[in-house]
Structure formats: structure tokens, C-alpha cells
Amino acid sequence: MSLENVWFAICYHCKKYTVWIDEILIHPQINGSPPPHLDMPDDVRETYVEARRIVALSPRSAAALLRVSIEKLVYDILGSQKGKDLNESIGILVEVLHVDIQQSLDYLRVTRNNAVHPLRVIDVEY
């Protein structure tokens, strides 16, 4: 067995190993998504970090996990005032959220629903 065009290196920044094949970084996987916010609740952070880890491997799975993260966060914020589902809970928050945040939550909710139901068409107008 031979390996051609495979390179192992040490990152100058973090001092960890990297693996390259044909000038493409294979390990570690590059993740362009932002790290969790410092104030994010622990249970939300755990799900969010899991979504970050798998986004390159399965964007649909990552979208589903992000929806779970949002649901946990929204329910955490609302406590006993939460609605019967995420859509209703987001509706309750609309009164206090900036419109950009509300639209982002709606977009994520719709995108995730369509990601796990691939025959649906995403049709969001703002």
C-alpha cells in the first residue's frame, strides 16, 4: 500500500497535526460557523457544538440540531410562558425581539422542517 500526495504537518498556530491530500486540508475539518456565545445556556451550547461538529458531514442533521438548540433557548427564555410549539413560542417573543432576530428564527425553523422533509419547497418571503 502506498500513499501519494498525502502530507502531514504541524499547525504553526495550534501546534496540532494536520493532514492534507492533494493540497486539500482533510484534518482538522474547517468549520466556519461561529463558536457558542459565552452566555449560552449549557444544554443549548452542547447541542449547538454538536451541530458545528457535523455541519460539513451532514448539513441537514446540523440544521435539525440547530432547530433543537433554538427551541431549547426559546423555551429557556420564556419559561412557563412558552407556547404549545416553537412557532407559537416565537410568536410570543416577537413583541420583544428585533425583527432581524425574529426572521432568523423563523427562517431556521422553516429550513430545518424542510431539511428533514425533502419534498417540501422552501418559500419564505420577508
Side-chain angles (χ1 to χ4, degrees):
M1 179 176 167
S2 68
L3 297 174
E4 295 182 23
N5 297 322
V6 176
W7 301 92
F8 298 90
I10 296 177
C11 175
Y12 287 113
H13 178 71
C14 70
K15 308 297 184 218
K16 294 184 179 179
Y17 283 98
T18 60
V19 180
W20 300 76
I21 298 177
D22 290 325
E23 299 182 19
I24 298 171
L25 179 64
I26 301 299
H27 177 80
Q29 291 181 347
I30 297 173
N31 187 335
S33 59
H37 192 277
L38 295 175
D39 293 334
M40 191 179 287
D42 290 340
D43 62 331
V44 177
R45 180 182 299 109
E46 181 180 324
T47 307
Y48 178 81
V49 168
E50 183 179 353
R52 286 185 77 220
R53 278 195 303 257
I54 67 165
V55 70
L57 299 172
S58 177
R60 287 175 38 178
S61 297
L65 286 169
L66 286 176
R67 186 197 185 276
V68 171
S69 296
I70 292 296
E71 190 167 6
K72 287 179 180 182
L73 184 61
V74 167
Y75 291 171
D76 186 61
I77 292 169
L78 291 175
S80 63
Q81 297 177 337
K82 68 182 181 185
K84 66 178 179 351
D85 59 21
L86 182 58
N87 192 42
E88 188 174 300
S89 295
I90 289 172
I92 294 168
L93 283 176
V94 167
E95 309 241 347
V96 295
L97 290 177
H98 187 275
V99 68
D100 290 342
I101 297 172
Q102 182 251 328
Q103 289 175 351
S104 296
L105 291 173
D106 281 338
Y107 183 77
L108 178 63
R109 180 185 50 79
V110 170
T111 301
R112 197 295 298 178
N113 287 341
N114 286 301
V116 295
H117 303 291
L119 296 179
R120 290 185 178 172
V121 175
I122 297 175
D123 184 22
V124 180
E125 293 183 28
Y126 290 108

